[in-house]
Amino acid sequence: MAKFLGIGLSTSPYICAYSWSGGWGTRQSAPTTLPNSITNRARFIANRAILTANDSSPYLNAWAWSDSGFGSKYSDPSTIPGSTAASFVGFNKKTSSIAVTNNTSPRIYAYPWSNGFGTKHTDPAAAVGSNAQGLAFRNSDTNDAIVVGQSSTPYLKAYPWSSSGFGTAYSDPSTLPAAQCYGGEFAPSGNAVAMGSSATGVRLYVYAWSSSGFGSKYANPATVPAGASQYPQFSPKGDYLIVGHSTTPFVSVYPWSDSTGFGTKLSNPSTTNGANTRDNAVNSEDIALGQSPNGVVSPVAVFPWSSSGFGTRYAEPSTTVDSAKTATAWGVTWNWNEYTLTANQQSFSLTGIAANLTKASSGTAYTITASQGSFTLTGTDASFQTGKTITASEGSFALTGVSANLKTGKTITASHGSFALTGSDADLFWTVAGDSYSIAVDPGAFNVLASETQFHVDRSVFCENGTISVTG
């Protein structure tokens, strides 16, 4: 799937998007039906739609999305979320649910999503007590939750979440924030939740999280963000916490550990827009900042990102985000596939050029790797075993079989030539006798065709059980 950066703006067309490939690409055609007011947040969901939270009714908008860009606008929800500007929008992947915040009681509204808005969920029994300015969904195998930031004490409200909607509110954290909380996100592990804040001297609240709700507040970082923090976000692996804020350097990045909390703040980027950061979005390669206008450059700054920190800011796109340099980018969002493979006793298909995949939850990682080449893997069982790897170098390969339960020790290799191997038993081994190499199978017939029979170890495929066909 192609990669895109979506942007919510304070001026017409209020929403835009660019293709992305190591820098700004083509600006996509605007949707046929535009938002009718300021976009306060924009979010891609499940790579198939883009949502916006807006100032005017219907307050919540959605468009179909594909590699071709914006599709048709979805029908508005049958029950509009309140009667005041929507400030934030979020998505729960597990239950395919959307939530939006505003200042109309109960200040949090939620809808099931299935290629369109479903019937609004019942309001929570305990409403959010004041103006809601952000939310965070916990996406997990168990104990999903939603946390909402608000403008008066206790400044946070949290509920269990399921496909049925809101549960009974959790108890407030023992250490309350001291001021308005904004934005919010759970760590990928689900074991911590971060909220931005305007509280002087703190600016950022992060709490441990469990099935019981809020745990202890993590100690503040040694260097707190320099201004009100709008939207903290964890890196895809959960090893960094990124937060935009209202004063220079306008963004702060900290190493993160669920066990120990904040590490030492990383060096600042060499340059930003020099204006208040209203939103930020991070993927495995880049960080995007949505900012207030400064009259000089467009209100979006994007930087390459790695474990070493910020790289040099990308040059402006050829078609600028805002030619007048007067718009605020209130929302930035990536449409980006972050390494996912799931299957359980079902057939699956995986394709990609850089499929460095790992198991999403904590524990032992399951890995499929490929280098500098496309590949396709198909099978009836995706129950991968620890440490089992399929590799290819500088070329494409295809593997098919009745079982993808891979094991080590079975090797087929070739160098300087094509080969084909077929057989009724893929339990192959090879032996060394002097300078000669051989491939054997027992029992069953096989054929080997190659332009060179002096094989070398540089390509490996492992398989257990069933018929296999290998070409390459």
Side-chain angles (χ1 to χ4, degrees), residues 295-315:
V296 179
V297 294
S298 295
V300 180
V302 188
F303 303 85
W305 165 255
S306 71
S307 59
S308 301
F310 292 98
T312 302
R313 178 183 168 177
Y314 290 103

Side-chain angles (χ1 to χ4, degrees), residues 127-398:
V128 175
S130 57
N131 188 12
Q133 290 286 326
L135 66 93
F137 265 122
R138 184 177 191 267
N139 289 275
S140 181
D141 292 339
T142 58
N143 302 316
D144 279 5
I146 184 171
V147 178
V148 184
Q150 61 184 58
S151 60
S152 63
T153 191
Y155 299 111
L156 291 173
K157 198 75 173 178
Y159 309 87
W161 180 261
S162 71
S163 58
S164 299
F166 297 95
T168 302
Y170 288 106
S171 298
D172 297 335
S174 57
T175 302
L176 294 177
Q180 169 85 57
C181 283
Y182 305 95
E185 185 170 80
F186 277 89
S189 65
N191 296 327
V193 61
M195 301 293 286
S197 178
S198 59
T200 302
V202 182
R203 308 296 191 188
L204 184 61
Y205 287 87
V206 188
Y207 296 89
W209 186 270
S210 71
S211 59
S212 300
F214 291 104
S216 298
K217 176 186 173 296
Y218 287 94
N220 297 333
T223 304
V224 299
S229 299
Q230 292 285 341
Y231 175 55
Q233 188 175 20
F234 290 92
S235 62
K237 292 183 180 180
D239 50 354
Y240 289 92
L241 182 58
I242 299 94
V243 61
H245 42 83
S246 59
T247 56
T248 187
F250 304 107
V251 62
S252 296
V253 179
Y254 305 89
W256 176 261
S257 165
D258 290 350
S259 299
T260 59
F262 293 96
T264 302
K265 178 181 173 294
L266 299 188
S267 298
N268 300 328
S270 58
T271 180
T272 64
N273 280 355
N276 186 358
T277 295
R278 300 295 187 173
D279 195 13
N280 51 265
V282 59
N283 58 53
S284 58
E285 298 176 4
D286 301 295
I287 292 176
L289 307 179
Q291 299 183 300
S292 298
N294 68 358
V296 179
V297 294
S298 295
V300 180
V302 188
F303 303 85
W305 165 255
S306 71
S307 59
S308 301
F310 292 98
T312 302
R313 178 183 168 177
Y314 290 103
E316 288 272 290
S318 56
T319 302
T320 60
V321 175
D322 168 41
S323 58
K325 310 296 191 298
T326 59
T328 295
W330 282 101
V332 285
T333 179
W334 291 107
N335 182 344
W336 196 280
N337 281 334
E338 298 287 1
Y339 314 138
T340 302
L341 171 67
T342 57
N344 184 14
Q345 301 297 322
Q346 301 289 331
S347 63
F348 68 92
S349 176
L350 170 69
T351 61
I353 292 176
N356 187 19
L357 306 172
T358 57
K359 186 170 179 282
S361 59
S362 60
T364 304
Y366 301 160
T367 304
I368 301 175
T369 59
S371 176
Q372 298 184 28
S374 63
F375 69 91
T376 301
L377 171 65
T378 62
T380 57
D381 187 344
S383 178
F384 292 102
Q385 303 298 307
T386 305
K388 308 313 185 240
T389 304
I390 304 173
T391 61
S393 178
E394 298 186 1
S396 63
F397 70 89

Side-chain angles (χ1 to χ4, degrees), residues 443-467:
F446 70 95
N447 298 309
V448 177
L449 303 174
S451 59
E452 179 178 328
T453 57
Q454 183 70 25
F455 295 103
H456 300 280
V457 179
D458 62 10
R459 290 171 172 81
S460 301
V461 179
F462 314 117
C463 185
E464 178 190 42
N465 297 330
T467 303

